[in-house]
Amino acid sequence: MLGDAATTTVRDATLSFMRSVGMTTIFGNPGSTELPMFRNFPGDFRYVLGLQESVVLGMADGFAQATRNAGFVNLHSAAGVGHALGNLFTAYKNQTPLVITAGQQARSILPYEPFLFADRPTEFPQPYVKWACEPVRAEDVPAAIARAYHVAMQPPCGPTFVSIPVDDWDRPCDPLPVRRVAAANPGDPEAMAEIAQALAAASSPAIVVGAGVSRDNAWDALVALAERHAAAVWVAPLSARCGFPEDHALFAGFLKASREAIVAALAGHDVVLVIGGPLSLYHVEGFGPHAPPDATVFQIIDDPAQAAWAPEGLAVIANARLATQALLAGPAPQRPRTAPPRLVRPALPPAGFTDAHLLARIAALRPAGSIIVEEAASSRGAMHDHLPIVAQDTFYTCASGGLGHGLPAAIGVALARRSGKVIAVLGDGAAMYAIQGLWSAAQLGLAVSFVIVRNRRYQALVEFSRHFQLHSPMATDLPGLDFCALAQAQGVSAVRVEAYDGLDAALSASFESIGPTLVEVCVD
């Protein structure tokens, strides 16, 4: 029970606020300047330790996405923030709400550039935080944490940052009043009416779904909208979430991150509705139009910046679920439509032991409701072909293209979703960026199956080098790694699979385990 202003400390007021918004799990790797935060640490809070700060931030990212509430991160001054920056970039691209704190040296010695202090701390994580602050007074820390939380949770969600001097936590301050901030935006009524009318009048509409459909919990409404208009449904380029069942008759496939490929895929559609986009996310240089010349493009997105640079059509800033529900209230199709042809998935390779064979067996053996967290870029195409995502909130990947997010994110998702099986599909190169995360999974006893696609190289880089006519790219081979030994050294049971006939038994045992396991699969 907190007392009056004379007995309430900065620590008391901050923890009380965090408790009021359900932010009682702290992910961190603390240093000397963070320790006073944990004096008399309350029993209803938990601290999740990661052995490197990028792992810490990745775990918090997965946890926040799975809970739809901001994750709280505790880092060490400049060095710890620096270690975490790669996954901070990913969290920013994922639009993940995070409150990131870092210690600072005591205020009285800051003029003398003390050991382990942060110089210009609020500038260091820029531009990949929405807001950053080092409070001018110790008693302003609780209000800064509260503001950081509310800014992180405002669409488009994202990370925020607060630097806190080590001597602030024990200072007296006023209790922080609890308040609420609500955000709801169904979109401009006139613009939404225009989109609804265009859908009703279309002869061959298409819908492109981005990660915002999952973030805004619009899955069911989107399925209803697609069925109402017999619209082909594509996944936006490089989408980090799944917004539509990939076994549905209207599912059309995945758009590539190429201008010409997008135009070719959407050819023949007179109305293209993009929800939770963006549509024009490219990975290679392209030329010509951004959409089929005969198509009218509408985009419903929650990020004003994306709306500003969208090169085609009408962009509406709105919540995906509320906007989709508004479109469902619009007029019905004006003419009968023929359903688009059903997607035909490619057959498995007839010989060999490839990632396609692995992903097909994961699809066949995975427990109902299991969650896929993926960071295996060279296997993404095979996953699209052979491991369909068919249920809401069962797929997570990295929106930034960086490495080191998938393994810790799987741990964070599993911590938030304790009742289900999490399957982390990881490339061998990607896994090495955050292999220390296995220790946290073992300590927490989480039911994560880490499946390593062991192709002994940075295969995605090898494949992309062909775009530049490079036939022998440098520094892409990864010989000599032993993932089973790495896992076992950190308390995770592991098995290696070198032939197809041993795959089912290894996967089944891993999926049935109540604790973390690792399956290293050596593919061709």
Side-chain angles (χ1 to χ4, degrees), residues 48-145:
V48 178
L49 175 63
L51 299 186
Q52 208 267 3
E53 287 87 348
S54 65
V55 172
V56 167
L57 209 128
M59 290 192 296
D61 185 330
F63 184 79
Q65 288 196 65
T67 60
R68 290 193 169 92
N69 193 27
F72 191 93
V73 180
N74 176 238
L75 301 177
H76 182 41
S77 60
V81 175
H83 291 158
L85 284 180
N87 271 337
L88 173 61
F89 171 64
T90 291
Y92 180 79
K93 291 296 186 180
N94 285 349
Q95 295 187 21
T96 302
L98 296 175
V99 177
I100 301 167
T101 61
Q104 173 65 293
Q105 271 291 3
R107 292 177 185 271
S108 64
I109 58 174
L110 284 178
Y112 312 109
E113 296 200 4
F115 186 61
L116 292 177
F117 95 115
D119 187 20
R120 295 186 289 179
T122 61
E123 297 177 33
F124 195 16
Q126 298 286 0
Y128 302 116
V129 293
K130 294 178 66 180
W131 182 74
C133 173
E134 184 175 271
V136 175
R137 305 180 307 162
E139 52 264 47
D140 295 330
V141 168
I145 297 292

Side-chain angles (χ1 to χ4, degrees), residues 68 183-187 192 211-222 225 275-276 300-302 318-329 392:
R68 290 193 169 92
N185 184 5
M192 296 304 299
V213 171
S214 290
R215 286 194 301 268
D216 292 342
N217 198 23
W219 174 287
D220 291 337
L222 199 286
L225 184 69
I275 303 181
I300 297 173
I301 45 185
D302 63 0
N319 173 280
R321 179 175 55 82
L322 297 178
T324 304
Q325 290 172 343
L327 293 176
L328 282 168
Q392 183 176 9

Side-chain angles (χ1 to χ4, degrees), residues 142-205:
I145 297 292
R147 179 174 176 180
Y149 173 82
H150 292 304
V151 172
M153 293 294 290
Q154 290 168 7
C157 295
T160 55
F161 178 83
V162 183
S163 173
I164 306 169
V166 65
D167 54 337
D168 283 2
W169 292 106
D170 292 310
R171 299 289 180 87
C173 73
D174 292 332
L176 189 70
V178 176
R179 63 191 184 89
R180 298 174 62 200
V181 176
N185 184 5
D188 177 80
E190 292 184 3
M192 296 304 299
E194 180 181 344
I195 297 173
Q197 185 58 48
L199 281 174
S203 59
S204 180

Side-chain angles (χ1 to χ4, degrees), residues 249 251-253 341-347 385:
F251 181 68
R342 186 155 191 156
L343 177 69
V344 178
R345 297 182 182 274
D385 292 339

